[in-house]
Amino acid sequence: LDPTSPSGSRGSNPFDLVAVGDRLYVTDGGQNLVWSIDIQTGAFSTLVAFPPIPNPLPFGPPVLDAVPTGIRYSSGQLLVTLFRGFPFPPGASVVKQVDLQTGRQADFITGLSTAIDVLPFKGKGDTDYLVLELSHDFLAGQPGSLLGFDGPRVAHEVITSCLVTPTALTLDEKAKTLYVTELAPGRVVAIPIW
């Protein structure tokens, strides 16, 4: 139930999922949480709920929803992108790290604009991260971008900044190619990364 909604309830928007062992973890952008689902029984519960944050801009609602989108498993933890809601202030979007057992959350990569997916991959001997952003400045109609990070809280590299409403990414390590889906043109873009 949501007393701030005209209907009194908030819709569900399952956005992405990842399987870990005998469980599925599903981001729900409408409910601002991650569901934990037992694959054998179908029983489900909330692993973590993400609270709203204050809106730093002088317009729009007083708080911003978390809007969890992408989810990945890495080094025994979940990585979850929080897109944030209107008015999409630059710097408010983050990647959270979530403990599978307790649901405890912590900032992992911060200062993003509209993070919609994250992808950990083995870099030069350690784990690097790719973060897909829907737009650098959503209200200004800026294109989406792909950012590379050597680790959490480490300065990023812009790999490309000309994507059209990107929504998800996957890596073909054998072909050394990254594939990105773009919503508006309805296409898959191949990006060589090595």
Side-chain angles (χ1 to χ4, degrees), residues 121-189:
F121 69 99
K122 292 297 177 191
K124 302 172 186 97
D126 60 353
T127 302
D128 293 337
Y129 305 89
L130 297 172
V131 175
L132 189 64
E133 292 197 303
L134 183 71
S135 172
H136 179 68
D137 186 339
F138 192 71
L139 293 182
Q142 295 291 317
S145 52
L146 178 65
L147 309 175
F149 292 82
D150 290 333
R153 301 175 192 90
V154 177
H156 72 273
E157 159 192 12
V158 177
I159 296 170
T160 185
S161 61
C162 60
L163 298 167
V164 181
T165 56
T167 56
L169 70 159
T170 192
L171 176 63
D172 180 345
E173 292 187 34
K174 185 176 179 182
K176 299 183 180 352
T177 302
L178 187 74
Y179 295 97
V180 177
T181 56
E182 292 181 314
L183 180 63
R187 66 182 175 192
V188 177
V189 177

Side-chain angles (χ1 to χ4, degrees), residues 54-139:
N55 178 5
L57 298 178
F59 61 92
V63 296
L64 305 174
D65 281 337
V67 192
T69 52
I71 187 169
R72 302 293 175 141
Y73 176 74
S74 179
S75 303
Q77 304 283 313
L78 295 174
L79 298 178
V80 179
T81 53
L82 300 186
F83 183 78
R84 299 291 182 205
F86 176 81
F88 317 106
S93 185
V94 299
V95 176
K96 291 281 192 175
Q97 185 176 54
V98 177
D99 183 274
L100 286 169
Q101 304 306 313
T102 66
R104 196 166 287 131
Q105 58 174 297
D107 286 348
F108 190 72
I109 297 173
T110 60
L112 302 166
S113 295
T114 54
I116 199 155
D117 203 358
V118 60
L119 180 68
F121 69 99
K122 292 297 177 191
K124 302 172 186 97
D126 60 353
T127 302
D128 293 337
Y129 305 89
L130 297 172
V131 175
L132 189 64
E133 292 197 303
L134 183 71
S135 172
H136 179 68
D137 186 339
F138 192 71
L139 293 182

Side-chain angles (χ1 to χ4, degrees), residues 33-52:
L33 54 79
V34 173
W35 297 105
S36 174
I37 303 166
D38 185 297
I39 294 172
Q40 298 298 318
T41 68
F44 62 94
S45 61
T46 300
L47 174 67
V48 60
F50 300 102

